[in-house]
Amino acid sequence: MELMLNTAYEEDSRPPEPDRARIAAHDDTAIFFGCPDVDAAYAHLRSRAKNVKAPKVATYGMKQLYVRDPDGYNLCFQWPATQ
């Protein structure tokens, strides 16, 4: 599978602040990715952005790392938690 995620703006034309009216509905959208090493994904993202929160295990047993992309969409990297 190949998946391309792209921001709404090219890097050289990105506004300093997101247009709040444009992204108002993005909070109810999430893309989930199977990620066998959630902790490695966390370390990688944390090295580039300090506001990344540590992964948590959901009540249904999935270890999940949620991040928000530049357009305000939720991305979740997840894998079954080991016992």
Side-chain angles (χ1 to χ4, degrees), residues 21-53:
R22 189 182 156 288
I23 65 169
H26 292 189
D27 195 40
D28 66 352
T29 301
I31 301 171
F32 290 77
F33 298 92
C35 180
D37 194 342
V38 175
D39 291 322
Y42 171 68
H44 176 79
L45 293 169
R46 181 78 178 172
S47 72
R48 287 157 177 74
K50 300 302 177 200
N51 63 343
V52 178
K53 294 181 182 174

Side-chain angles (χ1 to χ4, degrees), residues 8 11 14 16-17 20 24 26 29 31 34 45-46 51 53-55 57-58 62 66 68 71-72 74 81-82:
E11 190 170 348
R14 189 171 298 145
E17 293 288 325
R20 293 189 188 276
H26 292 189
T29 301
I31 301 171
L45 293 169
R46 181 78 178 172
N51 63 343
K53 294 181 182 174
V57 177
M62 296 297 280
Y66 280 93
R68 194 174 295 272
D71 290 322
N74 294 302
T82 57

Side-chain angles (χ1 to χ4, degrees), residues 57-71:
V57 177
T59 58
Y60 45 89
M62 296 297 280
K63 187 172 202 174
Q64 299 178 316
L65 168 63
Y66 280 93
V67 296
R68 194 174 295 272
D69 81 356
D71 290 322

